[in-house]
Amino acid sequence: MAQLPHPARAARLVILGRPNVGKSTLFNRICGRRRALVGDEPGMTRDRLYAPAEWMGTRFEVVDTGGMVPSVKELIPGEILRQTRVAIGEAAQLLLVVDSRAGVVPLDEELAQLLRRSGKPLTLVVNKVDSPQSAALAADFHRLGIQHVFPVSAEHGLGVDDLLDHVAAGIGIAGLPSTSGEKEAPTTSHVINVSIIGRPNVGKSTLLNRLLNRERSIVTPLPGTTRDAVDAEVERDGRRFRFIDTAGIRRKGKTHLLAEKLSVIQARQHLERSDVALLMLDATEGVTALDTHIGGYAHESHRSVVVVVNKWDVVAKGSRTIEEHTTRIREQMKYLDYAPIVFISALTGQRLGKLVATIEEVAAARRLRVTTAEMNRFVQRLDFDRASSPGKPLKLYYLTQAGVAPPTFVAFINSTRKLHFSVERFLENRIRRQFGFAGTPIVIRSRASKSRGPGRKKP
Ligand code: GDP
């Protein structure tokens, strides 16, 4: 599985509020109860809890200030204020939690005022809204003067998804790199996990042997996996490629039927561990039913895919051209329209350099991030009306990239309905046309939004 890059210091989401409003329950809900107690950072108090969290590809750190505002009686205003300021200072976003059943109490008002003045993106979480009927209880809290209000039940998990969408969109925007279309800096430790999948006799073993012989390779037995699941690493220009389960690629079924079944099982297993899948086809046989079957799994796995048409040494002398082959493949594997196609001969080594370059390109595209500024310009120029059906016009307020590997986008729209397939396709095509994303599937989700942007200040 691709590892998402973890920033040196994750953006912090700080949860504040008076005692017993449900901060810790919310904290646990967001972090999936993976609590970590960190006490030795300078300026920190032991009673703050930190935990990593992730929402739709956006990683952040959650801070529960549970112990910071003790009971009102014990308030030592100076100390509380000092600690609150430290926590606010470190925050990328602030969540003020209140109790819907208790109504607005003076301490809520004081905290709201303090947090508003910080100028940090602030969201009000009205907790203990356990049923749609009690949602009305949230209305009273608007007088705290916080623009973004989310009624939730931390206990039952209600409304927390919407809250996290909002939070992650804000963090995603704040945490994006500043230059346009910037690729994540390739680190020396970043290995590209590659699987070679396809039906029997398309030339998987031959290609693997070629690639391993051509480059300096290290064969690494993997602890914890089956005895003969052996990966092989190859280094090229400082880039490391890890071929998944080389023993599996070489393993042959005893009968034709067994071999076919094995090729499907292995494709599924290998996809799970890869960033990039090489879906191999045999040029002399065209696209078979088994090819489309395996190709379907490759697409569904959300891995990046390169279609590798092998045995080109035989075909090149024959009739069909590259264009004709490409048309056939596109027709029969419509879902893999984003996958580049490379024509090779594993036997002669023809175009293997091009194949390796394509793997690199596709691996980089998988981790490409588009900046908010670039995305906003893109949305402004987008002829979105064309995708919108007659009747109530669909509005796209903004689009944000919530994650990489695979690139995931959230479209904030004026509807609670899921985006129609055709609208999703429209957005995907335009994103590809503008930014590239070769070989990788793109995930588009939508969220209803009333506002034009996350984390904005009061109007
Ligand atoms: P696998 O079952 O997918 O691993 O396929 P193999 O690598 O075992 O190859 C099956 C057969 O196709 C072998 O006889 C190979 O020599 C042959 N083969 C593989 N690649 C090529 C190629 O590029 N050109 C030609 N002409 N034959 C190939």
Side-chain angles (χ1 to χ4, degrees), residues 5 175-186 363-372 374-375 377 401 404 435 437:
L176 292 181
S178 54
T179 44
S180 128
E182 188 183 327
K183 291 186 173 106
E184 308 253 326
R366 190 171 174 75
R367 311 180 79 82
L368 182 77
R369 273 192 191 272
V370 177
T371 64
T372 312
E374 191 89 358
M375 201 49 116
R377 274 197 296 278
Q401 184 171 358
V404 297
F435 305 108
F437 291 111

Side-chain angles (χ1 to χ4, degrees), residues 199-207 249 252 310-314 344-348:
R199 63 187 168 81
N201 292 318
V202 289
K204 298 184 294 296
S205 312
T206 312
L207 174 65
I249 292 170
K252 309 283 177 202
N310 190 32
K311 309 194 187 178
W312 199 244
D313 55 305
V314 182
I344 67 156
S345 168
L347 202 65
T348 68

Side-chain angles (χ1 to χ4, degrees), residues 176-327:
L176 292 181
S178 54
T179 44
S180 128
E182 188 183 327
K183 291 186 173 106
E184 308 253 326
T187 56
T188 43
S189 63
H190 183 60
V191 183
I192 303 171
N193 295 302
V194 184
S195 57
I196 303 177
I197 58 171
R199 63 187 168 81
N201 292 318
V202 289
K204 298 184 294 296
S205 312
T206 312
L207 174 65
L208 177 73
N209 294 343
R210 268 275 166 187
L211 290 168
L212 296 189
N213 288 337
R214 211 177 118 101
E215 318 286 350
R216 193 159 66 82
S217 65
I218 322 147
V219 176
T220 19
L222 264 191
T225 51
T226 51
R227 199 163 17 103
D228 51 358
V230 180
D231 294 354
E233 271 187 25
V234 160
E235 203 173 308
R236 183 181 185 261
D237 304 332
R239 266 287 191 193
R240 278 156 64 207
F241 299 86
R242 177 180 293 160
F243 292 95
I244 300 298
D245 186 15
T246 53
I249 292 170
R250 294 195 177 101
R251 195 175 305 132
K252 309 283 177 202
K254 288 206 173 65
T255 66
H256 186 65
L257 194 64
L258 260 180
E260 290 200 334
K261 283 189 173 153
L262 188 65
S263 73
V264 176
I265 295 166
Q266 283 181 346
R268 299 188 71 173
Q269 286 172 347
H270 294 176
L271 281 164
E272 226 165 79
R273 291 175 51 216
S274 54
D275 301 310
V276 180
L278 306 183
L279 173 64
M280 281 189 88
L281 307 178
D282 183 334
T284 64
E285 296 187 351
V287 182
T288 70
L290 190 52
D291 291 328
T292 54
H293 188 62
I294 296 174
Y297 282 125
H299 170 63
E300 284 163 20
S301 74
H302 279 174
R303 267 53 194 177
S304 294
V305 180
V306 178
V307 176
V308 180
V309 183
N310 190 32
K311 309 194 187 178
W312 199 244
D313 55 305
V314 182
V315 168
K317 299 184 205 95
S319 51
R320 283 213 211 126
T321 63
I322 285 188
E323 289 77 49
E324 280 169 335
H325 272 269
T326 304
T327 311

Side-chain angles (χ1 to χ4, degrees), residues 47-68:
D47 46 12
R48 276 192 230 163
L49 290 161
Y50 294 78
E54 185 182 333
W55 185 247
M56 287 180 29
T58 302
R59 290 191 171 194
F60 50 98
E61 190 172 56
V62 191
V63 184
D64 177 9
T65 58
M68 273 178 48

